[in-house]
Amino acid sequence: KYICFVHVMKQYAPLLRENAVPAGHLSVAGGAAALFVSMVGTGVVAFPYAISLAGLGVGLVTFLLVAIMTHASFMALFNATKVTNCSSYDELISVLPQSWSKLSTLALAALLILATTAYVIIAADTMSSVAQVSGLLTRRLTEVEHAVLLTSIAAAVFPLCTARSLSGLSSLTAFCNVALFVIAGIVSVRCAAIVQSCPPAQPAVHATNPVSTVMCVPILGTALFGHMNAPRIYSELTPVARKYAQVVSGVACLLAFLVYGGLGVVGYMAFGGLTSPDIVAQVAEFDGEGYSIALAQALLAAFVLLKTPFLAHPLRSLLTPLVSPGDKIDTAPPAVNLAVAAGSLLLVLICALVLPNLDEVLEILGAVCCAPLAYIIPARVAWACGMPRCQCFVMGLAGVLVCSLSLTAVVGSWTGLLVK
């Protein structure tokens, strides 16, 4: 969707203007669909695990509250776009003091690194699962073997991550979006069959404990993260559709809640307390390598391979001026371009080696990156645009609480001070 936000980066705004729908041509339905698609991403594979952290009842209620917060932040961005006539997230940030702009850039860089890390880990999990189910591997990988696999994946995607332009790749984005819906459908059907045929050893419960519940919030927030696209989508609504901007945001959030919530519930009910962070790999290991699961894994692998350049490009756009001051990604010398691409993937590889578990990456991603970009910064933008102070304060406070409590729970769980 995780990662349609790359299409609103200032570094290739001309590409957006070239391929985007002309301003004022999106209907209410079209705007809701575009916003919904921008929220959908690889978070689908971890969503049943997020529900398992909080329990069935508490998890869905928490997700509903996150969806309501997301709707409020979308509306803040829509209203700010209307007031400022800005058409991208980074243009909105320009109305803030420089310190806020630096915070936004830092959070965005961390988001790109961690999101790419999640892709690499998902690819490794998929390859390992295929090898085990097919009989090529009769045991789990050792830490050294897993590190070699992660390094190999990073090396394999390196050529794709050296492209200076993403022009003409919009069809790949469409394919990736369709692939995710197919994956979600296949996994939901298989999990429903597992529920009927083989109840889990640790049945689903309606509530767990406060620490686990807090730890699920950043994963839930990451699943609904589409804020980098919100200003662009609003700017492309027709004058009539802009009057119903609240419907656009509400329908998009409702659809995301239903799709993610449905997958989360059926996945959690299938595996209960043993639900893993990668539901696709878990279904494959439990159910065997049938045609449908093989298709899901193939589509997931293709998604990771094809989407990685869309993450690496804006990350390199942020890093290139630091490595070669005065240069941009499309004007930097070839040696600089290769060095930045290699450095970007090296950062990703280091993160993958330090945080080899998908749930850890998503928890940090949600707490450190998505909470500021989705709630805190939009609240500050809304404040700067003269919107109701009470609403801005509540949204900003919610973002701060999500960020601080999530980090506290994650670090406490890692260190053993808190029990998950």
Side-chain angles (χ1 to χ4, degrees):
K1 86 203 133 145
Y2 305 148
I3 303 270
C4 295
F5 61 84
V6 296
H7 296 299
V8 297
M9 290 294 296
K10 177 170 62 177
Q11 285 79 358
Y12 50 101
L15 173 61
L16 276 173
R17 296 188 195 79
E18 178 183 344
N19 295 325
V21 179
H25 284 68
L26 270 181
S27 64
V28 172
L35 191 58
F36 168 63
V37 167
S38 74
M39 287 189 281
V40 176
T42 52
V44 297
V45 304
F47 208 82
Y49 172 76
I51 296 296
S52 74
L53 287 176
L56 197 59
V58 175
L60 287 178
V61 171
T62 303
F63 187 35
L64 178 61
L65 293 176
V66 172
I68 293 173
M69 286 175 53
T70 300
H71 170 63
S73 61
F74 279 148
M75 289 307 303
L77 292 174
F78 283 172
N79 291 329
T81 302
K82 178 180 179 181
V83 171
T84 62
N85 290 321
C86 295
S87 60
S88 68
Y89 190 94
D90 59 298
E91 287 181 3
L92 283 179
I93 302 304
S94 65
V95 307
L96 300 179
Q98 189 176 11
S99 58
W100 283 89
S101 178
K102 291 181 179 180
L103 172 63
S104 174
T105 301
L106 182 62
L108 181 57
L111 184 146
L112 293 169
I113 293 172
L114 291 175
T116 309
T117 301
Y119 278 23
V120 172
I121 292 175
I122 290 172
D125 289 346
T126 301
M127 295 176 66
S128 176
S129 174
V130 170
Q132 291 179 14
V133 173
S134 62
L136 297 177
L137 184 67
T138 58
R139 54 175 175 77
R140 292 191 177 276
L141 296 176
T142 64
E143 291 185 3
V144 174
E145 291 171 338
H146 190 254
V148 172
L149 179 58
L150 292 172
T151 304
S152 302
I153 294 172
V157 300
F158 173 73
L160 297 175
C161 295
T162 59
R164 295 178 182 268
S165 172
L166 298 178
S167 179
L169 297 183
S170 58
S171 58
L172 294 182
T173 301
F175 167 79
C176 291
N177 290 329
V178 172
L180 277 178
F181 286 113
V182 174
I183 293 169
I186 292 175
V187 171
S188 296
V189 171
R190 297 311 308 153
C191 285
I194 293 173
V195 171
Q196 294 179 349
S197 62
C198 184
Q202 296 183 16
V205 297
H206 287 291
T208 54
N209 61 74
V211 175
S212 293
T213 300
V214 170
M215 292 182 66
C216 88
V217 174
I219 301 179
L220 300 179
T222 300
L224 295 180
F225 184 73
H227 296 69
M228 309 303 291
N229 275 342
R232 182 69 185 183
I233 291 173
Y234 180 85
S235 68
E236 293 180 2
L237 293 175
T238 64
V240 174
R242 290 180 182 180
K243 297 179 182 179
Y244 300 95
Q246 191 166 5
V247 176
V248 172
S249 173
V251 169
C253 291
L254 177 61
L255 288 174
F257 176 82
L258 294 175
V259 171
Y260 276 113
L263 176 60
V265 168
V266 72
Y268 177 43
M269 291 182 65
F271 298 101
L274 301 178
T275 304
S276 75
D278 190 338
I279 191 65
V280 177
Q282 187 170 19
V283 170
E285 292 177 10
F286 181 89
D287 210 20
E289 191 70 16
Y291 290 113
S292 60
I293 294 300
L295 174 61
Q297 291 182 310
L299 290 175
L300 186 58
F303 178 93
V304 171
L305 180 65
L306 297 176
K307 268 290 189 175
T308 300
F310 287 91
L311 291 174
H313 191 278
L315 177 59
R316 287 160 49 217
S317 296
L318 292 175
L319 297 179
T320 297
L322 300 178
V323 176
S324 180
D327 283 330
K328 295 183 178 181
I329 188 172
D330 54 348
T331 60
V336 172
N337 182 51
L338 292 175
V340 171
S344 301
L345 287 177
L346 180 60
L347 290 174
V348 169
L349 180 60
I350 292 174
C351 289
L353 293 175
V354 174
L355 302 171
N357 299 318
L358 180 61
D359 56 322
E360 296 175 345
V361 174
L362 293 179
E363 287 162 0
I364 294 295
L365 174 65
V368 175
C369 308
C370 291
L373 291 171
Y375 308 118
I376 300 175
I377 294 176
R380 183 62 181 86
V381 170
W383 185 288
C385 293
M387 296 177 197
R389 294 292 189 258
C390 181
Q391 178 181 345
C392 299
F393 178 79
V394 171
M395 187 190 311
L397 179 62
V400 171
L401 288 176
V402 168
C403 184
S404 57
L405 291 178
S406 299
L407 278 178
T408 300
V410 170
V411 174
S413 177
W414 290 357
T415 58
L417 297 177
L418 297 174
V419 180
K420 183 164 75 170

